[in-house]
Amino acid sequence: MTTISCNFRASRNTSPLKSAPLTSTAPSPAKARQRKRGGWRKVVPYVIGGGLVAAIVWGLIPKPIEVETAKIEHAPLTVSVLEEGKTRIRHRYMISPPVTGFLNRIELRAGDPIKVNETVLATIQPQLSSLLDPRTRAETEARAQAAEAGKMQAAAQVERAHSSLDLAQKDRDRAAALQKSGAISAKDWDTAEAEVAVQTRELRALEFAQQVAEFEFTQAKATLDQAKNPTTEKAEPMKIIAPVSGVVLNVMEENARIAAAGTAIMEVGDPSDLEAEIELLSSDAVRVQPGDAVSIEQWGGSAPLRGKVSVIEPGGFTKISALGVEEQRVKVRVEFVDPLPADHPLGDRFRVEARIVTWHEESVLQVPTGALFRRGGNWNAFVLEGGKARLAKVEIAHNNGTAAEVQSGLEEGQTVILHPPDAVSEGTAVQRR
């Protein structure tokens, strides 16, 4: 019984029908997916490591520096001086009594209009005792003769100004005929027009001076008549008549009191007879010449006004700047070429800015000043060639703060680097921003 039982177990375990499923080698789907994931996990670290190595290598490779550039080219260049100033009435007249007497109260105020030979500015009751003095009478006679001579001189100057204006108008008419045929440049035509405008204003100024001379003669003659015809009775008050048409600028003495001869009473003038007074540094004034073109800016209007340098005062003065620095200044007077606008009237001592042209050329090889820098006492610039910066020594002449005239070191068509950073040197790789 025992032997039969053992054989039965052996025969059951070795049966071909039972052993076939246990010896099968086909993998299940879950195990296949696990094997695939395991393969990618082995590759990912190598991929990440390779990427990090590539990024480090890429970061260590030097890259071109981005810079701003500009071209060297021929263009117009203007050098000017910009400074603040103020307007002023060119011919101001200080009213004062010709004799000592009692000044009646003045009713006029600053800004009141006056008319030549009509408006009574002030009345004064002269002291008769002083008019009877022989010395005073002799001085009055001399003053009257000097006033008459000044009147004649003013008349001669007016005649001369008329002749100059006629000549300027004829030149302008001839220039107008040439302009139609294109035989005259725009600059010559502008010069002819400007000359007519300047001569017109000069004639007006001389006519103003003639009116003043006539007024002085009238006043001196009235004083002389009183000296020659004294009376013990109360004399009629002496009237001071307006010498010009315009406005009262300032009243110095409005109360009634005893006023000595020559005491300043008021100041009058014609507000349309304006000029600009610019205070330049003496180092800038030496580069300015009479006749230089001027652009009047920041005066309150929408467009600048054209002007022309008329006088450069020969003496300077010391002025303390806003920073407390002593500066030597020179007054430069500018004459308006354009007519004064009626919608924005300029008054006396109004603030303006004047841009005085000291040099101009229509075609100049120029470089932006942002490309220039000092090294060893010389001007230098970086030129962009083949993607690299090349240091070039530059010689410049005129400079207006924005562009400079190139004398040597650069050629037309070259590209220069604007505001080169400290990292840029000879041979540095750069590229346009």
Side-chain angles (χ1 to χ4, degrees), residues 136-159:
T136 304
R137 180 178 297 182
E139 291 177 351
T140 305
E141 290 178 353
R143 192 180 299 113
Q145 293 175 358
E148 185 177 7
K151 176 183 175 182
M152 296 174 62
Q153 182 181 11
Q157 291 177 348
V158 169
E159 292 180 1

Side-chain angles (χ1 to χ4, degrees), residues 37-97:
R37 285 198 296 269
W40 278 108
R41 288 172 182 173
K42 293 179 180 179
V43 176
V44 167
Y46 296 101
V47 174
I48 295 175
L52 291 175
V53 172
I56 293 172
V57 173
W58 174 259
L60 294 177
I61 296 176
K63 298 180 179 59
I65 300 175
E66 292 186 351
V67 294
E68 297 180 1
T69 61
K71 288 284 188 181
I72 303 298
E73 59 185 1
H74 282 83
L77 183 63
T78 301
V79 179
S80 59
V81 177
L82 179 63
E83 196 60 68
E84 290 186 3
K86 58 181 177 294
T87 60
R88 63 182 296 272
I89 294 179
R90 185 186 316 180
H91 298 282
R92 313 165 70 89
Y93 195 78
M94 188 67 68
I95 305 299
S96 60

Side-chain angles (χ1 to χ4, degrees), residues 3 26 36 140 155 181 264 292 301 306 315 349 360 367 374 392 413 415 420:
T3 304
K36 289 182 180 180
T140 305
S181 60
D292 287 346
R306 292 187 304 162
R349 304 195 183 280
H360 176 76
V367 56
R374 284 281 191 179
T415 302

Side-chain angles (χ1 to χ4, degrees), residues 20-314:
L22 297 175
T23 59
S24 175
T25 60
S28 64
K31 290 184 177 181
R33 287 194 297 271
Q34 290 179 355
R35 290 178 181 178
K36 289 182 180 180
R37 285 198 296 269
W40 278 108
R41 288 172 182 173
K42 293 179 180 179
V43 176
V44 167
Y46 296 101
V47 174
I48 295 175
L52 291 175
V53 172
I56 293 172
V57 173
W58 174 259
L60 294 177
I61 296 176
K63 298 180 179 59
I65 300 175
E66 292 186 351
V67 294
E68 297 180 1
T69 61
K71 288 284 188 181
I72 303 298
E73 59 185 1
H74 282 83
L77 183 63
T78 301
V79 179
S80 59
V81 177
L82 179 63
E83 196 60 68
E84 290 186 3
K86 58 181 177 294
T87 60
R88 63 182 296 272
I89 294 179
R90 185 186 316 180
H91 298 282
R92 313 165 70 89
Y93 195 78
M94 188 67 68
I95 305 299
S96 60
V99 296
T100 301
F102 184 81
L103 177 67
N104 296 320
R105 181 175 176 83
I106 297 176
E107 301 296 335
L108 294 175
R109 294 294 178 267
D112 290 345
I114 58 176
K115 193 172 182 180
V116 60
N117 296 329
E118 290 187 11
T119 305
V120 178
L121 301 180
T123 58
I124 186 170
Q125 189 74 33
Q127 294 180 352
L128 299 181
S129 58
S130 63
L131 295 178
L132 297 176
D133 183 75
R135 178 180 175 181
T136 304
R137 180 178 297 182
E139 291 177 351
T140 305
E141 290 178 353
R143 192 180 299 113
Q145 293 175 358
E148 185 177 7
K151 176 183 175 182
M152 296 174 62
Q153 182 181 11
Q157 291 177 348
V158 169
E159 292 180 1
R160 183 184 62 182
H162 274 293
S163 301
S164 300
L165 178 59
D166 291 341
L167 179 60
Q169 289 175 342
K170 291 179 181 178
D171 291 340
R172 184 189 61 182
D173 295 339
R174 285 191 290 266
L178 294 174
Q179 186 188 29
K180 294 179 180 178
S181 60
I184 188 174
S185 64
K187 181 179 179 181
D188 293 338
W189 167 249
D190 292 340
T191 302
E193 276 194 326
E195 185 65 22
V196 172
V198 170
Q199 292 298 333
T200 301
R201 293 182 64 86
E202 185 67 21
L203 174 60
R204 184 176 180 181
L206 291 176
E207 289 175 346
F208 176 87
Q210 184 183 22
Q211 293 176 359
V212 172
E214 291 177 352
F215 169 76
E216 291 177 346
F217 173 71
T218 303
Q219 293 292 100
K221 188 173 181 300
T223 304
L224 181 61
D225 292 340
Q226 278 196 334
K228 289 182 177 180
N229 301 287
T231 177
T232 57
E233 300 178 359
K234 186 176 179 181
E236 289 294 327
M238 178 181 293
K239 296 180 180 180
I240 302 178
I241 310 300
V244 293
S245 295
V247 296
V248 177
L249 301 178
N250 191 17
V251 178
M252 292 81 166
E253 190 61 58
E254 63 180 41
N255 296 321
R257 69 178 186 89
I258 298 295
T263 302
I265 299 175
M266 68 174 62
E267 192 177 24
V268 299
D270 185 0
S272 62
D273 186 28
L274 281 180
E275 66 178 3
E277 184 179 84
I278 313 300
E279 297 180 357
L280 296 182
L281 290 171
S282 58
S283 56
D284 293 333
V286 297
R287 297 186 285 123
V288 177
Q289 299 294 330
D292 287 346
V294 182
S295 176
I296 306 297
E297 305 171 355
Q298 302 299 327
W299 58 273
S302 58
L305 299 175
R306 292 187 304 162
K308 190 176 183 180
V309 175
S310 58
V311 176
I312 303 172
E313 295 188 1

Side-chain angles (χ1 to χ4, degrees), residues 339-412:
L340 298 177
D343 54 343
H344 292 80
L346 279 170
D348 185 43
R349 304 195 183 280
F350 282 27
R351 177 190 175 276
V352 295
E353 288 185 4
R355 189 181 300 275
I356 304 175
V357 178
T358 58
W359 184 85
H360 176 76
E361 190 67 33
E362 289 295 333
S363 180
V364 174
L365 184 64
Q366 55 185 267
V367 56
T369 55
L372 299 174
F373 58 92
R374 284 281 191 179
R375 180 173 293 181
N378 299 318
W379 286 108
N380 294 267
F382 281 113
V383 181
L384 179 59
E385 291 183 353
K388 294 185 177 182
R390 180 180 64 83
L391 185 63
K393 181 180 177 182
V394 185
E395 293 185 4
I396 64 174
H398 298 90
N399 188 347
N400 64 1
T402 303
E405 180 186 7
V406 178
Q407 288 187 328
S408 64
L410 297 174
E411 298 180 357
E412 186 175 10

